[in-house]
Amino acid sequence: QEQLYLNPGLTVKILARRLLMPVRQVSQAINAGASMNFSEFINAYRIGHAQTLLKSDDQSLSILDVMLQSGFNTKSNFNRSFKQISGMTPQDYKRSHASDN
């Protein structure tokens, strides 16, 4: 609800503190419930947010804007995560949804 995943500095320690839970317990819950580690889990939410932005009618948003607004610090991490999750690059994703608008 608060979209904590958009904070590029979010760590499992920060999330655990926010949830008033031990770090180990948060990490184990993510591993067990989502079958992924903390970084993969957070990046999945970030990529979902990026996909929403890339499909929006706002043509003024560049890929860099989307990356930054989605909580990523580096283009390489954003591109790698995006392709891993969606199967295409952010640019290809944007192009493929351009006709939807």
Side-chain angles (χ1 to χ4, degrees), residues 79-99:
N79 287 333
R80 182 177 44 257
S81 296
F82 198 98
K83 187 159 187 168
Q84 184 180 21
I85 290 170
S86 73
M88 60 180 74
T89 67
Q91 189 65 49
D92 289 342
Y93 188 88
K94 185 175 184 171
R95 270 192 227 110
S96 73
H97 289 85
S99 60

Side-chain angles (χ1 to χ4, degrees), residues 11 37 40 45 48 65 97:
T11 64
N37 67 36
E40 293 167 334
Y45 275 95
D65 293 331
H97 289 85

Side-chain angles (χ1 to χ4, degrees), residues 36-64:
M36 54 181 83
N37 67 36
F38 175 77
S39 293
E40 293 167 334
F41 182 74
I42 295 303
N43 284 346
Y45 275 95
R46 289 175 175 167
I47 295 303
H49 182 78
Q51 288 173 320
T52 299
L53 293 176
L54 290 169
K55 289 190 288 188
S56 77
D57 291 334
D58 188 352
Q59 297 302 311
S60 69
L61 280 177
S62 69
I63 300 295
L64 184 61

Side-chain angles (χ1 to χ4, degrees), residues 1-2 5 7 14 18-19 22 24 26-28 33 35 37 49 53 55 57 68 71 74-75 83 87 97:
Q1 199 174 43
E2 292 180 46
Y5 56 88
N7 174 355
I14 292 169
R18 192 71 187 262
L19 295 171
R24 183 171 165 86
V26 171
S27 184
Q28 287 175 335
S35 298
N37 67 36
H49 182 78
L53 293 176
K55 289 190 288 188
D57 291 334
L68 294 171
T74 64
K75 199 170 182 180
K83 187 159 187 168
H97 289 85

